[in-house]
């Protein structure tokens, strides 16, 4: 019985330590990136590019509410003159699923010139999107748009890669999956830390395609 009690106590200590580490890492990432997140478009410095991170699209090509809010926010930033062009980074691993084309079509329908829209179909996760934005697209500085709960990890990765990026939260609405996404974000921080510490290189790199320089 004593051995069983010790085993249970050991398991509880390990679990407690793991949970404490996950929460501590989350608070650290939020704290170290807070100065790079803006709340008013009018306060944003003028940047070369606004980067929109992908999210799910429907089978008919329409943007999910989360993705539509990201693109609409980026469009507001562009129209305000705070960013000169777009990089749309998302998942296009399958012929029947294409986040970047859906975003691009959405912007084209709203009269954004095609030559100001760059697309990254291999932005399979946040780390890949940030890494490729520099390695492939040579973006000198950028405003990254995604939901508020996602921005700290995104900017933490960008800063770790030496990128001159700031963040702006997408228009806030309540999403049915938001609570699950927030919980998942804390676990995703562990993955981000591993990718940074091990200096991961995305599998799909391709040729350089520098954005416009203004």
């Amino acid at each position: 019985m004593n051995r069983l009690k010790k085993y249970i106590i050991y398991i509880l200590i390990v679990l407690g330590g793991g949970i404490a580490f996950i929460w501590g890492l989350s608070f650290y990432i939020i704290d170290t990136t807070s100065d790079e997140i803006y709340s008013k478009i009018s306060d944003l410095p003028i940047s070369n590019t606004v980067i929109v991170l992908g999210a799910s699209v429907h089978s008919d090509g329409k943007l999910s509410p989360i993705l539509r809010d990201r693109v609409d926010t980026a469009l507001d930033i562009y129209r305000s003159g705070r960013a000169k062009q777009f990089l749309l980074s998302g998942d296009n691993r399958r012929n029947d699923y294409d986040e970047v084309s859906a975003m691009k079509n959405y912007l084209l329908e709203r009269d954004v010139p095609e030559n100001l829209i760059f697309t990254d179909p291999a932005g399979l996760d946040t780390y890949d999107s940030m890494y490729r934005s520099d390695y492939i697209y040579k973006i000198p500085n950028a405003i990254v748009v995604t939901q508020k709960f996602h921005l700290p990890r995104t900017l933490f990765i960008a800063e770790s890669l030496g990128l001159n990026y700031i963040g702006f939260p997408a228009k806030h609405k309540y999403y049915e999956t938001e609570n699950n996404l927030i919980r998942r974000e804390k676990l995703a921080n562990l993955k981000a830390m591993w990718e940074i510490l091990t200096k991961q290189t995305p599998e799909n790199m391709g040729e350089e395609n520098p954005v416009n320089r203004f």
Side-chain angles (χ1 to χ4, degrees), residues 127-128 131 161 191 194-202:
Y127 182 87
D128 285 8
Y131 191 105
L161 294 172
K191 178 175 179 287
W194 171 256
E195 290 169 325
I196 291 166
L197 292 176
T198 57
K199 299 181 179 180
Q200 294 288 307
T201 300

Side-chain angles (χ1 to χ4, degrees), residues 163-188:
L163 307 181
N164 183 22
Y165 293 176
I166 56 177
F168 194 85
K171 297 177 180 180
H172 182 266
K173 296 177 183 175
Y174 178 75
Y175 311 105
E176 292 183 3
T177 60
E178 184 167 345
N179 290 334
N180 289 334
L181 290 171
I182 291 172
R183 284 192 291 268
R184 191 181 74 173
E185 192 64 25
K186 289 180 172 55
L187 295 177

Side-chain angles (χ1 to χ4, degrees), residues 40-152:
K40 294 181 180 178
I41 289 179
S42 58
D43 291 338
L44 287 168
I46 296 175
S47 298
N48 176 272
T49 304
V50 57
I51 300 174
V52 186
L53 299 181
S56 60
V57 298
H58 300 303
S59 58
D60 59 1
K62 292 184 179 179
L63 310 184
S64 64
I66 285 179
L67 186 54
R68 185 174 63 248
D69 288 344
R70 293 180 187 182
V71 180
D72 281 340
T73 301
L75 186 60
D76 288 344
I77 292 171
Y78 163 77
R79 286 173 172 169
S80 75
R82 299 293 170 174
K84 304 297 184 181
Q85 60 196 339
F86 298 82
L87 174 64
L88 312 175
S89 183
D91 187 350
N92 181 209
R93 281 174 287 187
R94 306 192 316 265
N95 292 331
D96 61 343
Y97 185 77
D98 189 348
E99 293 175 0
V100 293
S101 292
M103 289 190 280
K104 181 177 180 178
N105 291 335
Y106 188 87
L107 291 175
L108 291 174
E109 290 169 359
R110 285 152 182 80
D111 300 321
V112 177
E114 188 170 11
N115 68 308
L116 298 181
I117 304 174
F118 290 79
T119 58
D120 177 11
L124 306 185
D125 63 17
T126 305
Y127 182 87
D128 285 8
S129 292
M130 292 297 95
Y131 191 105
R132 289 172 53 81
S133 70
D134 176 53
Y135 190 90
I136 301 294
Y137 299 93
K138 306 297 182 182
I139 295 177
N141 53 75
I143 303 164
V144 185
V145 174
T146 184
Q147 270 67 30
K148 184 178 180 179
F149 56 79
H150 185 205
L151 265 179

